[in-house]
Amino acid sequence: MPRFEPFRALRYAGTDLDPLLAPPYDVLDDADVDALQERSPHNVTRVDVPRGGPDRYEEASETLGRWVDEGVLVRDAEPSFTIYRLRFTDGGGSERDVAGVLGALEVVDAGAGGVLPHERTTPKDATDRLELTRATQANLSPVWGLSLATGLAALLAEPGEPVGRLVDDADGRTVEHVWERVTDPGRVSAVRALLASDDVLIADGHHRYAVSRTYRDEVRAATGRDDTDAELTLTFVAELVADQLSVEAIHRLYAGVDPEELRAALDRFFVRTPTASPDAGTAAAMAADGFLVLVTADGAERLDPRPGAFDDVRSLDGVWLETALEGVAVSTAYQHGLDETLHAVTGGRATAAVLVRPVSLAEIGRTAREGLLMPPKSTFFTPKLKTGAVLRPLTL
């Protein structure tokens, strides 16, 4: 089972975190970064999203070091865990209060167990994150993990020492982010022991975790040691239970294929029925009745699985679509959000889209226990974690 350890966190000294923090680097475009950096000369994107020439990583490292020297960032006097609470209203209108813990999770070899991937990853250039880690010698943004152990949420129910809060209005949703430091030896020991009792499933940040493995191996080769801070990586861990997770769908966009060829392939496995253009109520209807929705320039069609078509296939929309389209020369992309998905079709970026349902927590847990992998981009965990509230230096 993986180690999960407290560490001496690096935090902003100020109490107003709103102009300083940022969403994860991989959801930001250039306009987003410009807007964030206009908010403060100390916005974390100046370190986490380096821009410029080949020396941009060294500049990011120098910026980080300068902020520490100037007292913009201050390192905790002792190791701690940080409770991270997310309070929001989910897509179904329910009030949510999610609590996870930020700590340092052991970096294990692929296939070694203890820390498990939950979906196949799409090809992605990891050079940027690796170069940034080498230069800054820091974990800047956390991996998101799910503990298969029971009881983490209960352990985190009691408040810790308040160290930060902000209210964020993004994507039409208001989210309260709260951070609380935990240094009590008994409580730290309880969290560490619980998370070491069962596997941790990577929910988001597979590439970040892979970069941490590469960096760990480089440090081992350079130092001959396996006891440095590179043996662990910054991770937010929540419990895999319904009230602690909000999972949304990532829809499929298809291009490079004639719509009629796509329909013919789908017709072998689904019954198509014309339906109204998808709206805010479509997701609930899909979940209740068990159908998908095909969207093309000609309109929308309901996709009901044919009886017996998927008897030998896992009950997962992404797997159903991979099965139906096997052998079809089609380019697949992924899009979260109904409006964005529809715009991809009407704007010509995709020939067609298929709206899918969110993956259930039961399926996430079953897949992990059976050592299987879901298709790429099967799950979209929300809200996204803020980068910058807790940084983890990597000292050799």
Side-chain angles (χ1 to χ4, degrees), residues 300-323:
E301 296 170 288
R302 172 171 166 156
L303 299 176
D304 286 282
R306 293 184 180 278
F310 298 110
D311 282 354
D312 298 324
V313 180
R314 289 160 57 209
S315 183
L316 194 65
D317 292 358
V319 177
W320 285 1
L321 290 170
E322 286 187 342
T323 301

Side-chain angles (χ1 to χ4, degrees), residues 256-268 324-325 327-330 351:
V257 62
D258 182 81
E260 289 310 311
E261 181 183 359
L262 186 66
R263 288 190 178 96
L266 293 171
D267 283 349
R268 294 178 297 157
L325 299 179
V328 178
V330 60
T351 300

Side-chain angles (χ1 to χ4, degrees), residues 9-82:
L10 196 60
R11 310 175 192 269
Y12 279 103
T15 57
D16 183 9
L17 296 178
D18 189 49
L20 304 173
L21 307 189
Y25 73 94
D26 51 1
V27 303
L28 301 175
D29 59 24
D30 284 340
D32 295 328
V33 175
D34 288 341
L36 287 162
Q37 294 189 354
E38 286 175 2
R39 303 186 69 187
S40 171
H42 300 134
N43 187 274
V44 71
T45 56
R46 297 182 185 274
V47 173
D48 192 45
V49 191
R51 296 192 289 183
D55 59 350
R56 61 187 181 278
Y57 302 108
E58 289 304 322
E59 290 179 359
S61 177
E62 292 170 4
T63 297
L64 182 62
R66 184 172 66 254
W67 289 355
V68 172
D69 292 342
E70 294 174 351
V72 174
L73 293 169
V74 178
R75 194 165 188 188
D76 285 354
E78 59 183 317
S80 67
F81 287 130
T82 301

Side-chain angles (χ1 to χ4, degrees), residues 213-379:
R213 185 184 295 126
T214 301
Y215 182 73
R216 178 207 65 181
D217 291 346
E218 290 180 352
V219 171
R220 284 181 176 179
T223 65
R225 295 168 53 189
D226 61 4
D227 62 347
T228 70
D229 287 334
E231 298 292 320
L232 305 106
T233 193
L234 177 63
T235 305
F236 167 86
V237 182
E239 187 174 350
L240 182 57
V241 289
D243 66 349
Q244 291 298 301
L245 291 175
S246 177
V247 185
E248 298 180 3
I250 304 181
H251 306 300
R252 272 45 181 167
L253 301 178
Y254 297 114
V257 62
D258 182 81
E260 289 310 311
E261 181 183 359
L262 186 66
R263 288 190 178 96
L266 293 171
D267 283 349
R268 294 178 297 157
F269 294 86
F270 297 94
V271 176
R272 285 187 295 115
T273 308
T275 190
S277 180
D279 58 21
T282 300
M286 290 169 61
D289 295 342
F291 65 90
L292 287 63
V293 177
L294 172 67
V295 180
T296 67
D298 298 326
E301 296 170 288
R302 172 171 166 156
L303 299 176
D304 286 282
R306 293 184 180 278
F310 298 110
D311 282 354
D312 298 324
V313 180
R314 289 160 57 209
S315 183
L316 194 65
D317 292 358
V319 177
W320 285 1
L321 290 170
E322 286 187 342
T323 301
L325 299 179
E326 185 176 2
V328 178
V330 60
S331 173
T332 306
Y334 307 90
Q335 179 64 62
H336 168 256
L338 174 61
D339 291 343
E340 294 83 354
T341 302
L342 298 179
H343 289 160
V345 176
T346 58
R349 186 160 62 91
T351 300
V354 174
L355 306 183
V356 301
R357 298 164 295 172
V359 178
S360 70
L361 265 64
E363 186 63 31
I364 293 172
R366 186 178 76 87
T367 299
R369 291 299 190 190
E370 294 180 1
L372 302 174
L373 293 177
M374 295 182 185
K377 303 295 184 182
S378 288
T379 49

Side-chain angles (χ1 to χ4, degrees), residues 198-211:
D198 207 338
D199 294 330
V200 172
L201 181 67
I202 298 177
D204 195 10
H206 290 80
H207 290 96
R208 265 166 276 181
Y209 191 81
V211 164

